[in-house]
Amino acid sequence: MGDFLTLADIEKAAEAVQKRSDHQPRVGLILGSGLGPLADSVEDAQAIPYSDIPGWPVSGVKGHVGQLVLGRLEGVSAVVMQGRTHYYEGYDMPRLGLPVRVMQRLGIQEFFVTNAAGAVNPDFEPGELMLLTDHLNLLGMAGQNPLRGPNLDELGPRFPDMSQVYDRELQALAREVAAEENLGLQEGVYCCLAGPSFETPADLRFLRAVGVDAVGMSTVPEAIVARHSGTRVMGVSGISNKANLDGNTETTHEEVLEAGKVLVPKLTALVRGVLRKLS
Ligand code: HPA
């Protein structure tokens, strides 16, 4: 079988968070590799290390602080995950869904999910943001879906629709903010692979041929769990490197973290701008 979540697991983790914070978040935010510093601008912040939350998947990856920050951003009550855990770290997919389940239990209506990604689209440059218009769920096609296992009917349907994972109204707000603040927002399809090895040139040519614009190792499972319960999702990739289609350049985790420094101010402006328009 597998490590499937129960309502009791979700309740227990949510209670541990509620004991440590009196914030009642309206929005949830996951900050990907190198993007964690956005959490530093949260006001009235209360931080809880992931290891203090029962059942929470804990990450050991550099560039991921590993704490939940509750507070306010642009006057909106928010719960921010400073760093996330990935499938390649060894957890089962349903367990990786626990953080989103807990954020939903805390009351979020909108979920902003971010990641660092490699550009598969040759027009994209490191340091640019890409708004997710859709995703390619290759892991899901191979059987690795966070909703695998008994369905929690109280939370959502057995066969949830995925025709509009990334909320169109939130996409429109993101475009408005990007235009107003000159953020140069790209758009496209994100694909999540298992990692931790980066792609070969053949992998990348395959992804390009099937319509992928950016590739990474996260986000898709979290977005699926969010949509299962009807939470509105906005997804943003920080392009950290060019995908190596010709096999002549190497991809490293260091360059992914380095790109984060350029991306954090842009991502902060985008998220803050959308929150202002929402509130
Ligand atoms: N491939 C996969 N994941 C990534 C990449 C990449 O090139 N860059 C950042 N995360």
Side-chain angles (χ1 to χ4, degrees):
M1 287 295 279
D3 178 23
F4 305 131
L5 298 183
T6 64
L7 289 175
D9 293 334
I10 298 163
E11 188 58 33
K12 201 168 152 198
E15 270 174 16
V17 174
Q18 279 162 332
K19 267 197 200 124
R20 299 268 294 263
S21 169
D22 37 28
H23 288 291
Q24 294 180 332
R26 143 127 196 231
V27 304
L29 186 58
I30 297 185
L31 301 176
S33 300
L35 305 176
L38 198 160
D40 298 340
S41 57
V42 173
E43 295 144 33
D44 290 337
Q46 293 164 323
I48 308 169
Y50 293 158
S51 51
D52 288 359
I53 309 172
W56 196 280
V58 176
S59 172
V61 181
K62 202 175 155 202
H64 290 261
V65 175
Q67 62 180 11
L68 200 61
V69 179
L70 293 101
R72 278 182 301 111
L73 268 174
E74 294 299 327
V76 181
S77 194
V79 51
V80 182
M81 280 176 64
Q82 203 171 16
R84 63 147 64 78
T85 307
H86 307 79
Y87 181 63
Y88 61 76
E89 295 177 72
Y91 291 96
D92 284 348
M93 275 289 180
R95 177 65 45 185
L96 293 180
L98 181 81
V100 177
R101 291 300 190 202
V102 169
M103 292 194 281
Q104 288 170 326
R105 188 76 186 73
L106 296 175
I108 67 163
Q109 304 295 314
E110 285 93 17
F111 171 52
F112 296 55
V113 59
T114 72
N115 57 62
V120 179
N121 185 325
D123 295 337
F124 294 179
E125 295 296 331
E128 289 185 323
L129 297 177
M130 184 191 89
L131 182 67
L132 273 67
T133 53
D134 203 351
H135 69 224
L136 180 71
N137 185 12
L138 269 189
L139 285 183
M141 292 179 197
Q144 289 296 346
N145 192 298
L147 304 180
R148 183 170 176 269
N151 187 52
L152 299 174
D153 295 329
E154 295 84 348
L155 303 183
R158 171 75 289 184
F159 302 108
D161 174 66
M162 292 288 145
S163 63
Q164 293 180 38
V165 175
Y166 302 94
D167 188 85
R168 289 180 185 172
E169 192 197 343
L170 294 176
Q171 285 184 48
L173 295 181
R175 285 184 196 106
E176 277 178 31
V177 172
E180 284 162 14
E181 308 201 21
N182 241 322
L183 298 175
L185 188 63
Q186 300 280 13
E187 299 188 9
V189 174
Y190 173 87
C191 179
C192 169
L193 299 183
S197 49
F198 287 117
E199 302 71 40
T200 64
D203 290 331
L204 292 163
R205 285 192 298 270
F206 167 76
L207 294 176
R208 188 69 196 131
V210 295
V212 170
D213 294 294
V215 60
M217 305 174 189
S218 68
T219 298
V220 170
E222 296 144 350
I224 291 171
V225 173
R227 289 308 301 147
H228 181 240
S229 304
T231 306
R232 301 206 295 160
V233 181
M234 184 177 105
V236 185
S237 289
I239 301 298
S240 57
N241 55 286
K242 281 240 185 215
N244 174 21
L245 274 90
D246 58 8
N248 293 328
T249 40
E250 287 187 9
T251 301
T252 65
H253 188 51
E254 281 63 38
E255 77 184 309
V256 173
L257 296 184
E258 193 58 32
K261 293 180 192 159
V262 184
L263 288 162
V264 165
K266 291 187 190 177
L267 185 67
T268 305
L270 185 66
V271 169
R272 280 186 174 278
V274 173
L275 287 176
R276 267 198 308 278
K277 286 181 188 282
L278 268 182
S279 65

